[in-house]
């Protein structure tokens, strides 16, 4: 299986259909994102008519069963951005932009984007003849409503990315103009379906948006229409016959099966009951076994922009883990090399900080490290005021692992054993995803949890939210749950938000990584090396930067011979 190591620093390219002055400043704005590839601009029809790799001879029709794990807590993806949820809704909704395997932006609902010379005005030219699934036309009014009522108030990524958005105008039905008070180069890399969600104004305006009934029976503009969600069983989608790309999607039906048991998922893939599973759907031993079967593919392709890392979140509101020496001791007590080998089967590598080594432009290994050293861990715990008592324990600690499957449970068990070896009496607690999410992000009712996230194409999109004090938002998942508040971290992160010089922006993020590993608001354990499993008859599944957001419009199923 190929190990696809993405480099987000691939050269920027800008279409020369734009005027020279606009081309230059569009390139400059993208370059200020420190190497994230530039946006395609110009007539969208040229892209639409191109036959994408893997679709030559594509066959229409067919029903595909996919597995989603765990069951999404909600389909309100503009509030909760969990990966299971985005896996489903990315087939129902399209974004303004999409991103390819090369991480370059591609048009979806927006045909082109024009950035002014000063970086303060962004003009979006929208597609015509796009319909919502209920037959209503998609227009600039939907984008304006979403920008003002959803991006600025609810969407976790957009709230940060568009913090300097001061005005949204819709001069006609297919043009949107965004006015910013400060340059925000990262915008061009954060206009995808989840980062900048576009909701139907006619179904959401004047409603209680977080509790709108359409949140869990969504109406989108994407290639598939939501049909039903049978809790604990499946989520059923069907082909949208009036999709804006003529002839797409190829598939008639797409059903996400909810199979909590990892062995059950392996059996379903092996027997053909399920055709597709993304993001490590089976154990590593099963992945190696399934890769040898003639009808299945096991591959790491399609995750170029999905550079993931797993960490421990200490609740800095808790008096025990609030002590830096305790957090340092926890890392020293864990043999991360053994963890990735024994639990993750080599499909991971130890992390050196909050930025993945796959995001080469921004990454630095020049950070404070905490190698496995039990003696050092015990000395730090002593210094923190927690010597061993007569019973051999220093203190009790609850560890709530993220309930995303057996690998995460076994990671929790590994951490528990490691900490118990240095005198920390750890209780490992298993919860369902809604309970875990509420306790961690809603009530801050935890001491230590495991969680994971994605860097995406830029640290501002996928890392900032865990460290910026202003990102903390009680009740919003994956937003600074630790309660970290550092004036120096805020200064660095806020400087990077508006810095247009690519070299300076890279240096800011490298300085931030050093500070993050010194303060340990999160305890990085390892970087993922994801894999997917699918039927060999299923084609074109890796035409994306992220399996979890492929809209499946161009995916097709070869008929059995």
């Amino acid at each position: 299986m190929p190990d696809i190591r993405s480099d987000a620093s691939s050269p920027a390219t800008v279409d020369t259909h734009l005027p020279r002055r606009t081309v230059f400043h569009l390139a400059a704005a993208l370059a200020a994102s420190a190497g994230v590839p530039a946006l395609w601009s110009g007539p969208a029809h040229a892209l639409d008519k191109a036959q994408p790799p893997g679709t030559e001879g594509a066959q229409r029709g067919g029903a595909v069963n996919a597995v989603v794990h765990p069951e999404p807590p909600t389909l309100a993806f503009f509030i909760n951005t969990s990966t299971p949820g985005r896996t489903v809704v990315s087939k129902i909704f399209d974004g303004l932009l999409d991103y390819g395997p090369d991480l370059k932006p591609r048009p979806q609902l927006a045909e082109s984007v024009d950035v002014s010379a000063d970086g303060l005005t962004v003009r979006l030219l929208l597609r015509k003849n796009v319909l919502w699934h209920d037959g209503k036309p998609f227009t600039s009014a939907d984008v304006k409503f979403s920008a003002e009522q959803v991006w600025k108030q609810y969407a976790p990524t957009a709230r940060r990315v568009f913090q300097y958005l001061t005005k949204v105008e819709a001069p006609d039905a297919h043009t949107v103009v965004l006015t910013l008070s400060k340059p925000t180069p990262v915008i061009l890399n954060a206009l995808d379906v989840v980062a900048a969600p576009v909701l139907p104004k006619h179904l959401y305006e004047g409603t209680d948006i977080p509790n709108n009934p359409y949140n869990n029976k969504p109406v989108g503009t994407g290639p598939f229409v939501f049909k039903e969600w049978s809790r604990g069983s499946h989520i059923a989608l069907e082909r949208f016959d009036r999709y804006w790309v003529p002839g797409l999607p190829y598939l008639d039906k797409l059903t996400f099966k909810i199979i909590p048991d990892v062995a059950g998922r392996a059996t379903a893939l092996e027997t053909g009951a399920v055709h597709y599973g993304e993001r490590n759907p089976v154990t590593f031993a099963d992945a190696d076994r399934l890769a040898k079967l003639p009808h299945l593919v096991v591959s790491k392709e399609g995750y170029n922009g999905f550079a993931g890392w797993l960490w421990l979140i200490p609740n800095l509101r808790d008096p025990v883990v609030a002590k830096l020496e305790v957090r340092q001791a926890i890392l020293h007590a864990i043999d991360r090399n053994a963890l990735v080998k024994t639990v993750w089967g080599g499909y991971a590598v130890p992390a050196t900080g909050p930025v993945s080594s796959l995001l080469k432009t921004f990454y630095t290994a020049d950070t404070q490290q905490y190698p496995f050293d039990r003696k050092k861990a015990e000395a730090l715990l002593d210094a923190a005021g927690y010597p061993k008592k007569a019973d051999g324990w220093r203190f009790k600690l609850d560890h709530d692992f993220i309930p995303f499957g057996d690998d995460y449970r076994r990671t929790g068990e590994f951490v528990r054993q490691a900490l118990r070896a240095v005198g920390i009496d750890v209780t490992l607690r298993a919860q369902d995803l809604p309970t875990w999410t509420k306790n961690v992000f809603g009530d801050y009712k935890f001491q230590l949890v495991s969680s994971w996230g994605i860097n995406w194409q830029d640290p501002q999109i996928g890392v900032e939210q865990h460290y910026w004090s202003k990102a903390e938002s009680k009740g919003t998942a994956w937003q600074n749950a630790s309660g970290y508040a550092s004036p120096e971290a805020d200064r660095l992160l806020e400087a990077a938000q508006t810095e247009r010089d690519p070299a300076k922006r890279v240096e800011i993020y490298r300085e931030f990584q050093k500070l993050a590993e010194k303060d340990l608001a999160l305890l990085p354990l390892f970087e993922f090396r994801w894999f997917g499993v699918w039927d060999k008859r299923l084609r074109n599944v890796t035409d994306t930067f992220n399996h979890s957001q492929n809209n499946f419009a161009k995916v097709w199923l070869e008929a059995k011979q």
Side-chain angles (χ1 to χ4, degrees), residues 440-460:
V440 176
F441 303 110
D443 300 331
Y444 298 142
K445 184 181 175 182
F446 70 96
Q447 286 183 288
L448 187 72
V449 300
S450 61
S451 186
W452 63 273
I454 303 300
N455 284 182
W456 301 111
Q457 304 95 311
D458 187 295
Q460 188 176 341

Side-chain angles (χ1 to χ4, degrees), residues 229-245:
W229 183 357
S230 178
R231 299 274 181 170
S233 174
H234 65 274
I235 301 172
L237 314 181
E238 292 184 2
R239 184 182 195 275
F240 182 38
D241 291 331
R242 303 172 74 187
Y243 188 50
W244 55 267
V245 182

Side-chain angles (χ1 to χ4, degrees), residues 106-319:
R106 305 184 293 199
Q108 273 194 337
L109 296 179
E111 289 188 334
S112 66
V113 180
D114 181 17
V115 181
S116 64
D118 59 7
L120 298 179
T121 303
V122 179
R123 182 180 294 269
L124 305 171
L125 179 63
L126 305 179
R127 257 178 224 287
K128 300 176 181 178
N129 302 317
V130 176
L131 297 176
W132 293 100
H133 293 160
D134 61 3
K136 301 290 185 181
F138 161 77
T139 72
S140 58
D142 296 304
V143 179
K144 177 176 168 61
F145 167 78
S146 297
E148 293 174 340
Q149 302 298 319
V150 181
W151 299 358
K152 296 283 284 183
Q153 297 186 48
Y154 301 109
T157 299
R159 275 214 316 263
R160 294 180 291 109
V161 168
F162 291 97
Q163 62 177 307
Y164 300 121
L165 178 63
T166 58
K167 184 167 61 174
V168 184
E169 298 172 281
D172 60 55
H174 299 98
T175 304
V176 175
V177 180
L178 309 176
T179 301
L180 310 169
S181 60
K182 294 183 181 181
T184 310
V186 76
I187 281 178
L188 295 177
N189 301 294
L191 290 174
D192 63 83
V193 61
V194 175
V198 179
L199 301 181
K201 177 184 177 181
H202 64 282
L203 297 180
Y204 279 86
E205 186 177 35
T207 72
D208 178 6
I209 291 176
N211 296 300
N212 187 295
Y214 287 100
N215 290 350
N216 285 323
K217 53 176 184 180
V219 174
T221 58
F224 293 93
V225 178
F226 174 85
K227 286 300 178 182
E228 69 170 354
W229 183 357
S230 178
R231 299 274 181 170
S233 174
H234 65 274
I235 301 172
L237 314 181
E238 292 184 2
R239 184 182 195 275
F240 182 38
D241 291 331
R242 303 172 74 187
Y243 188 50
W244 55 267
V245 182
L248 296 184
Y250 293 118
L251 299 174
D252 288 335
K253 295 182 179 181
L254 179 58
T255 302
F256 289 94
K257 301 286 189 178
I258 297 159
I259 307 175
D261 178 56
V262 66
R265 294 195 294 270
T267 299
L269 286 160
E270 184 173 4
T271 61
V274 164
H275 305 95
Y276 174 81
E278 61 87 30
R279 193 178 45 81
N280 299 15
V282 299
T283 66
F284 306 112
D286 276 334
D288 293 340
R289 180 178 63 82
L290 296 179
K292 299 173 184 177
L293 299 180
H295 69 288
L296 290 178
V297 174
V298 178
S299 174
K300 296 179 186 176
E301 292 185 41
Y303 292 105
N304 297 18
F306 204 59
W309 52 305
L310 185 140
W311 62 87
L312 301 175
I313 306 178
N315 189 343
L316 300 182
R317 308 164 192 85
D318 180 87

